Amino acid sequence: MTLLNESVREAAQRSVLGWLATVDAEGQPNVSPKEVWAIADDEHVVLAHIASPVSARNIALQPQVCLSFVDVFVQKGFKLKGSAHEVRAADPAFARWATPLLAMVGQRFVIQSVLVIRVTSVVTIVAPSYRFYPYETTEVSQVASAMRTYGVQSLKEES
């Protein structure tokens, strides 16, 4: 069974940010937002190291990581755990891993290196309402609630 299945891929595409958790040499956690990331294949996620010196340094010391992402409107997402390594621009493997990221950034950012995660576990993230009020909580109701909370209007309403 593929860990990074279609539902994980769809949720990843709807998520604006991923949150990468790493650990430093003293065991202190670090969580960093990642704007440019993609599912590369059935077992790997790639993240652009644009301004991530702490994440890259921590991965070099301790490769175990966790990447979480949530669609803020539906309030569902995934937590991906695995081991990571850094692939620098001079490495022959850089082109393979950087391709989806370069397509995303164009000329906007310089990708210093790629953080490659080999995913070993995938866990669903859902807002508590789905668990505590399963008969009244739907994706539609969650989207409506989030839109009210954030003051967002759909494009249909604006027309």
Side-chain angles (χ1 to χ4, degrees), residues 31-99:
V31 177
S32 177
K34 304 300 177 204
E35 181 180 0
V36 181
W37 59 281
I39 295 178
D41 59 30
D42 288 346
E43 62 180 331
H44 294 95
V45 175
V46 290
L47 302 95
H49 170 0
I50 296 168
S52 304
V54 174
S55 296
R57 182 175 58 241
N58 286 353
I59 287 169
L61 297 170
Q62 170 52 268
Q64 300 309 107
V65 299
C66 179
L67 176 71
S68 297
F69 54 91
V70 173
D71 177 324
V72 295
F73 292 105
V74 175
Q75 298 177 31
K76 289 182 178 179
F78 290 92
K79 177 171 52 173
L80 313 177
K81 290 184 180 180
S83 60
H85 69 279
E86 182 179 19
V87 178
R88 293 191 168 95
D91 189 308
F94 181 82
R96 171 186 175 213
W97 296 116
T99 297

Side-chain angles (χ1 to χ4, degrees), residues 2-155:
T2 302
L3 288 174
L4 300 174
N5 60 35
E6 194 58 34
S7 63
V8 175
R9 290 172 186 270
E10 288 173 4
Q13 289 175 345
R14 290 190 313 267
S15 300
V16 177
L17 289 175
W19 296 90
L20 182 66
T22 61
V23 179
D24 69 16
E26 287 78 41
Q28 292 299 309
N30 180 67
V31 177
S32 177
K34 304 300 177 204
E35 181 180 0
V36 181
W37 59 281
I39 295 178
D41 59 30
D42 288 346
E43 62 180 331
H44 294 95
V45 175
V46 290
L47 302 95
H49 170 0
I50 296 168
S52 304
V54 174
S55 296
R57 182 175 58 241
N58 286 353
I59 287 169
L61 297 170
Q62 170 52 268
Q64 300 309 107
V65 299
C66 179
L67 176 71
S68 297
F69 54 91
V70 173
D71 177 324
V72 295
F73 292 105
V74 175
Q75 298 177 31
K76 289 182 178 179
F78 290 92
K79 177 171 52 173
L80 313 177
K81 290 184 180 180
S83 60
H85 69 279
E86 182 179 19
V87 178
R88 293 191 168 95
D91 189 308
F94 181 82
R96 171 186 175 213
W97 296 116
T99 297
L101 305 173
L102 291 167
M104 295 168 73
V105 300
Q107 300 299 311
R108 185 175 172 105
F109 298 112
V110 173
I111 298 176
Q112 297 181 36
S113 65
V114 176
L115 307 176
V116 180
I117 302 171
R118 184 179 165 277
V119 177
T120 56
S121 122
V122 175
V123 176
T124 303
I125 298 171
V126 296
S129 297
Y130 286 105
R131 292 197 174 120
F132 291 114
Y133 303 101
Y135 300 109
E136 61 189 68
T137 305
T138 64
E139 288 188 2
V140 171
S141 71
Q142 291 296 89
V143 169
S145 174
M147 291 178 86
R148 280 191 306 276
T149 298
Y150 300 131
V152 176
Q153 289 185 322
S154 72
L155 293 176

